[in-house]
Amino acid sequence: MKFLRQVFESLVFAYQALRSNIMRTTLSLLGVSVGIFAIVAVFTAVDSLNGKIRSEIDSFAGSGVLYVGKWPWLMQNNYPWWKYLNRPEMKYSEFKYLKENLTSAQAVAIIDGGRTASVNRGSSSMDVNITGASYDYNQVTSCPINEGRYFLPIESDNGLNVAIIGSKVAENLSNGESIIGQVIKLNGIKFSVIGVIEKKGNDMLGFGGTPDEKVIIPYITYATIFQKDRPQPDISIKAFEDDVNQQNLEGDISGMMRSLRSIKPKQEDSFSINRMDGLNQFFDGIFSVLNIAGALIAGFSLLVGGFGIANIMFVSVKERTNIIGIQKSLGAKNYFIMFQFLFEAVFLSLIGGIVGIGLVVLITLIPQEALPLSLSFKNILSGLMISSFIGILSGIIPAWVAAKMDPVIAIRSK
């Protein structure tokens, strides 16, 4: 109890010392405020960018979805593009076989896109990105309908001329009225609009073009009209939400595709099974480097703030040498003296950290359409821990010097 009481008294002494020198305290913590602001702002920006990219990957590719196609997504060193170039494209018959026989799959769809076309209605026109997709497209990826409806199975299977359009396409072609049920022309071919996709905004990664400027039509219609010369579809297959099921599904897909294409046991696959894991690992590496680089750069300003606190603490020890001598002559222990100055340094640094975090909070409140910033509890905690560590590091030497003073010499000093 005596030890705890003396620790509390040290806290009180540290608080009184800071309060008695408001101007010096304020100037001292500015350096730490700037440093913590820089570090937390970097972590927040990187985390927000990471979250947005992950969200767009899930929106484009879906969660737990495997993509069977001609090309692998990740290009490594010595990428044998010539080998992949000679592979056959995915076929509609292969999609039908997988859809009918893959019992471990939740949904199977065939998707083709990347083709630009001109869409017009009356005097309004614009260029759009067309995606051809089978009926299960909305089960393997995000396709929220804001107005109207999604494809019917009969529309998808029979290749009818129906279209689901992006919000920007609807705005440009609607002329102030509902676009649902209206006829538009894609490269001069008539399509009936049955649905409008929810507005999403710009896609940072550019997957499939800007979502709001997209038109989705049945895959059979797309293959017949737009890609009859060089179809390049992928078969997307959604697994049940279980890692074990996803691994089993990948094995089932590989076995069925090799059987369909009569690939001998020693021959390489003539197809690629792509997962989001590889793409996510790629971005993990990038964001790890960004976090480290940002922290190192911001750390320099924090280091300057730490030196500022250390300098002030040495000045404080010098000013209070007489008081230290009196306290020690009255029986104060070394740890009692050391805690006074250590707590003072930590208080300074923590207050500076709180101010820096507060500045980041103010920035996150500013509306950002391109990259909304969100300050996580983890980053707040990291900022407070870093500022506390800087306070301990800056105050430990001055506190040790004060604790080791000879009481007689300290009392005689002026």
Side-chain angles (χ1 to χ4, degrees), residues 19-86:
R19 189 177 177 182
S20 62
N21 295 282
I22 295 295
M23 182 59 69
R24 188 171 70 184
T25 300
T26 303
L27 294 175
S28 300
L29 60 85
L30 284 178
V32 175
S33 299
V34 172
I36 293 297
F37 165 77
I39 287 180
V40 175
V42 167
F43 289 163
T44 300
V46 172
D47 287 350
S48 300
L49 181 61
N50 190 1
K52 186 170 179 62
I53 288 178
R54 305 289 184 195
S55 174
E56 291 187 355
I57 289 176
D58 287 342
S59 177
F60 163 72
S63 177
V65 178
L66 305 178
Y67 284 80
V68 188
K70 177 178 179 178
W71 298 87
W73 286 358
L74 293 181
M75 299 184 182
Q76 300 174 347
N77 294 333
N78 301 319
Y79 186 76
W81 58 268
W82 58 89
K83 180 173 67 176
Y84 303 131
L85 183 65
N86 293 325

Side-chain angles (χ1 to χ4, degrees), residues 212-283:
D212 297 337
E213 298 179 4
K214 180 181 288 187
V215 173
I216 304 173
I217 62 177
Y219 175 78
I220 295 176
T221 310
Y222 178 89
T224 303
I225 299 174
F226 297 102
Q227 290 286 61
K228 53 187 175 183
D229 296 330
R230 49 183 185 87
Q232 297 177 322
D234 281 338
I235 298 174
S236 56
I237 304 168
K238 184 175 181 62
F240 291 99
E241 299 298 328
D242 188 302
D243 290 338
V244 175
N245 285 335
Q246 291 179 27
Q247 293 173 5
N248 293 337
L249 176 60
E250 188 169 349
D252 292 344
I253 295 168
S254 179
M256 288 185 182
M257 286 299 300
R258 289 181 67 88
S259 176
L260 277 171
R261 295 189 172 184
S262 301
I263 301 173
K264 296 179 181 179
K266 292 185 178 181
Q267 289 181 321
E268 292 184 3
D269 291 341
S270 61
F271 56 90
S272 293
I273 301 177
N274 297 301
R275 301 181 62 170
M276 285 295 98
D277 294 351
L279 201 56
N280 284 330
Q281 288 173 7
F282 172 74
F283 282 110

Side-chain angles (χ1 to χ4, degrees), residues 1-11 335 339 343:
M1 290 297 294
K2 181 180 179 182
F3 174 78
L4 292 176
R5 187 170 62 252
Q6 289 183 339
V7 170
F8 176 74
E9 290 176 358
S10 298
L11 281 168
Y335 66 80
F339 280 157
F343 286 148

Side-chain angles (χ1 to χ4, degrees), residues 9-11 13-15 313 320 323-324 327 332 335-345 399:
E9 290 176 358
S10 298
L11 281 168
F13 272 110
Y15 170 74
M313 294 312 301
R320 289 152 57 188
I323 298 175
I324 294 169
Q327 289 176 338
Y335 66 80
F336 177 79
I337 304 297
M338 186 171 69
F339 280 157
Q340 289 181 39
F341 294 94
L342 197 57
F343 286 148
E344 187 175 339

Side-chain angles (χ1 to χ4, degrees), residues 122-272:
S123 59
S124 302
S125 65
M126 64 180 294
D127 290 334
V128 296
N129 181 279
I130 304 179
T131 295
S134 61
Y135 178 70
D136 286 344
Y137 174 75
N138 67 334
Q139 296 184 47
V140 298
T141 189
S142 176
C143 185
I145 303 298
N146 182 51
E147 184 182 1
R149 61 175 176 83
Y150 187 69
F151 298 126
L152 297 175
I154 192 172
E155 295 170 334
S156 176
D157 295 340
N158 291 287
L160 301 184
N161 287 15
V162 291
I164 299 172
I165 62 177
S167 60
K168 191 171 182 180
V169 182
E171 290 173 5
N172 289 345
L173 303 183
S174 64
N175 297 322
E177 59 185 9
S178 176
I179 194 70
I180 303 300
Q182 302 298 324
V183 175
I184 61 174
K185 290 183 179 180
L186 289 169
N187 284 359
I189 300 171
K190 293 181 179 180
F191 283 80
S192 176
V193 178
I194 61 171
V196 178
I197 306 171
E198 285 184 5
K199 187 172 183 179
K200 182 181 178 183
N202 292 330
D203 189 337
M204 293 179 65
L205 298 178
F207 283 138
T210 305
D212 297 337
E213 298 179 4
K214 180 181 288 187
V215 173
I216 304 173
I217 62 177
Y219 175 78
I220 295 176
T221 310
Y222 178 89
T224 303
I225 299 174
F226 297 102
Q227 290 286 61
K228 53 187 175 183
D229 296 330
R230 49 183 185 87
Q232 297 177 322
D234 281 338
I235 298 174
S236 56
I237 304 168
K238 184 175 181 62
F240 291 99
E241 299 298 328
D242 188 302
D243 290 338
V244 175
N245 285 335
Q246 291 179 27
Q247 293 173 5
N248 293 337
L249 176 60
E250 188 169 349
D252 292 344
I253 295 168
S254 179
M256 288 185 182
M257 286 299 300
R258 289 181 67 88
S259 176
L260 277 171
R261 295 189 172 184
S262 301
I263 301 173
K264 296 179 181 179
K266 292 185 178 181
Q267 289 181 321
E268 292 184 3
D269 291 341
S270 61
F271 56 90
S272 293

Side-chain angles (χ1 to χ4, degrees), residues 398-412:
W400 181 259
V401 170
K404 287 298 181 180
M405 281 185 179
D406 183 278
V408 176
I409 297 175
I411 291 174
R412 289 179 178 177

